[in-house]
Amino acid sequence: MKHLLLRFLFTSIAVLFVAKLLPGIEVTNGFALFLTVIILGLLNAVLRPTMIFITLPVTIFSFGLFIFIINGFILYLTAWLVDGFEISGLFVAIIASILISIVSGLINWLAKE
């Protein structure tokens, strides 16, 4: 349970950091951030593996780069589902998903030290 709460906290920090850093992303309040992280986690757990499986030939052909598009689509879908979390377009969502992965990975790495 502690691990899950820490992961939630780290993802929240990463989403908030990227929203402040990248134009085209806006988190209006804390509740929107909370819902964003919950929905993003659920979509990553349920929808992402299915999408990766369905698009496996394209992912293999693109040497795995298509996963960035899948991650961006999931983040864009999260913005569509959550009021108060706005993303201006799919390209911004793809860049944001890459940055969120980097920031949360860095925070996780620093927390283990």
Side-chain angles (χ1 to χ4, degrees):
M1 185 69 171
K2 180 182 172 185
H3 177 70
L4 184 64
L5 289 174
L6 282 174
R7 191 171 181 127
F8 177 83
L9 177 66
F10 296 161
T11 305
S12 298
I13 293 168
V15 168
L16 195 57
F17 178 78
V18 171
K20 297 291 182 190
L21 179 73
L22 193 63
I25 299 180
E26 183 179 345
V27 179
T28 58
N29 55 48
F31 185 70
L33 179 64
F34 174 78
L35 278 180
T36 297
V37 174
I38 294 292
I39 301 278
L40 185 60
L42 288 173
L43 290 176
N44 275 331
V46 176
L47 186 61
R48 185 174 183 264
T50 305
M51 289 181 69
I52 289 174
F53 180 74
I54 290 171
T55 62
L56 192 58
V58 176
T59 303
I60 291 171
F61 185 70
S62 69
F63 301 107
L65 295 176
F66 194 73
I67 290 178
F68 292 129
I69 295 171
I70 292 171
N71 291 343
F73 174 75
I74 289 174
L75 189 62
Y76 193 71
L77 180 60
T78 302
W80 183 75
L81 292 171
V82 176
D83 284 334
F85 179 60
E86 307 293 328
I87 296 181
S88 63
L90 184 59
F91 181 72
V92 173
I94 292 168
I95 299 301
S97 70
I98 293 168
L99 292 174
I100 289 170
S101 296
I102 291 169
V103 171
S104 66
L106 183 64
I107 293 171
N108 279 313
W109 180 71
L110 290 172
K112 287 182 182 179
E113 294 297 318

